[in-house]
mmCIF file of all heavy atoms in Angstrom:
data_model
loop_
_atom_site.group_PDB
_atom_site.id
_atom_site.type_symbol
_atom_site.label_atom_id
_atom_site.label_comp_id
_atom_site.label_asym_id
_atom_site.label_seq_id
_atom_site.Cartn_x
_atom_site.Cartn_y
_atom_site.Cartn_z
ATOM 1 N N ASN A 1075 -26.483 -42.111 -12.014
ATOM 2 C CA ASN A 1075 -25.071 -41.917 -12.283
ATOM 3 C C ASN A 1075 -24.778 -40.478 -12.673
ATOM 4 O O ASN A 1075 -23.742 -39.907 -12.315
ATOM 5 C CB ASN A 1075 -24.608 -42.869 -13.391
ATOM 6 C CG ASN A 1075 -24.608 -44.317 -12.922
ATOM 7 O OD1 ASN A 1075 -24.457 -44.574 -11.736
ATOM 8 N ND2 ASN A 1075 -24.802 -45.232 -13.865
ATOM 9 N N PRO A 1085 -18.436 -28.562 -7.753
ATOM 10 C CA PRO A 1085 -17.476 -27.610 -7.163
ATOM 11 C C PRO A 1085 -16.549 -26.985 -8.205
ATOM 12 O O PRO A 1085 -16.258 -25.793 -8.152
ATOM 13 C CB PRO A 1085 -16.699 -28.465 -6.160
ATOM 14 C CG PRO A 1085 -17.606 -29.610 -5.846
ATOM 15 C CD PRO A 1085 -18.343 -29.882 -7.113
ATOM 16 N N PRO A 1103 -1.384 -11.761 -17.948
ATOM 17 C CA PRO A 1103 -0.602 -10.510 -17.950
ATOM 18 C C PRO A 1103 0.794 -10.672 -17.343
ATOM 19 O O PRO A 1103 1.750 -10.060 -17.829
ATOM 20 C CB PRO A 1103 -1.467 -9.558 -17.111
ATOM 21 C CG PRO A 1103 -2.851 -10.072 -17.258
ATOM 22 C CD PRO A 1103 -2.699 -11.560 -17.314
ATOM 23 N N VAL A 1160 0.819 3.386 13.468
ATOM 24 C CA VAL A 1160 0.844 3.963 14.817
ATOM 25 C C VAL A 1160 -0.358 4.875 15.027
ATOM 26 O O VAL A 1160 -1.076 4.766 16.034
ATOM 27 C CB VAL A 1160 2.160 4.740 15.047
ATOM 28 C CG1 VAL A 1160 2.097 5.514 16.361
ATOM 29 C CG2 VAL A 1160 3.349 3.791 15.062
ATOM 30 N N LEU A 1163 -3.656 2.893 15.213
ATOM 31 C CA LEU A 1163 -3.828 2.199 16.489
ATOM 32 C C LEU A 1163 -4.237 3.170 17.583
ATOM 33 O O LEU A 1163 -5.152 2.886 18.376
ATOM 34 C CB LEU A 1163 -2.532 1.479 16.867
ATOM 35 C CG LEU A 1163 -2.565 0.635 18.149
ATOM 36 C CD1 LEU A 1163 -3.648 -0.434 18.061
ATOM 37 C CD2 LEU A 1163 -1.207 -0.010 18.392
ATOM 38 N N THR A 1260 -14.747 -10.406 28.977
ATOM 39 C CA THR A 1260 -14.398 -11.259 30.121
ATOM 40 C C THR A 1260 -12.884 -11.335 30.325
ATOM 41 O O THR A 1260 -12.413 -11.500 31.456
ATOM 42 C CB THR A 1260 -14.951 -12.677 29.902
ATOM 43 O OG1 THR A 1260 -14.508 -13.168 28.623
ATOM 44 C CG2 THR A 1260 -16.481 -12.667 29.934
ATOM 45 N N ASN A 1315 13.822 17.110 -9.074
ATOM 46 C CA ASN A 1315 15.110 16.408 -9.202
ATOM 47 C C ASN A 1315 14.993 14.914 -8.896
ATOM 48 O O ASN A 1315 15.913 14.317 -8.331
ATOM 49 C CB ASN A 1315 16.156 17.038 -8.284
ATOM 50 C CG ASN A 1315 16.403 18.501 -8.603
ATOM 51 O OD1 ASN A 1315 16.436 18.880 -9.780
ATOM 52 N ND2 ASN A 1315 16.560 19.324 -7.583
ATOM 53 N N THR A 1320 9.153 7.159 -7.621
ATOM 54 C CA THR A 1320 9.029 5.805 -7.072
ATOM 55 C C THR A 1320 9.191 4.786 -8.200
ATOM 56 O O THR A 1320 9.268 5.149 -9.375
ATOM 57 C CB THR A 1320 7.671 5.623 -6.391
ATOM 58 O OG1 THR A 1320 6.638 5.886 -7.350
ATOM 59 C CG2 THR A 1320 7.512 6.594 -5.220
#
Side-chain angles (χ1 to χ4, degrees):
N1075 291 333
V1160 171
L1163 183 58
T1260 53
N1315 300 321
T1320 58

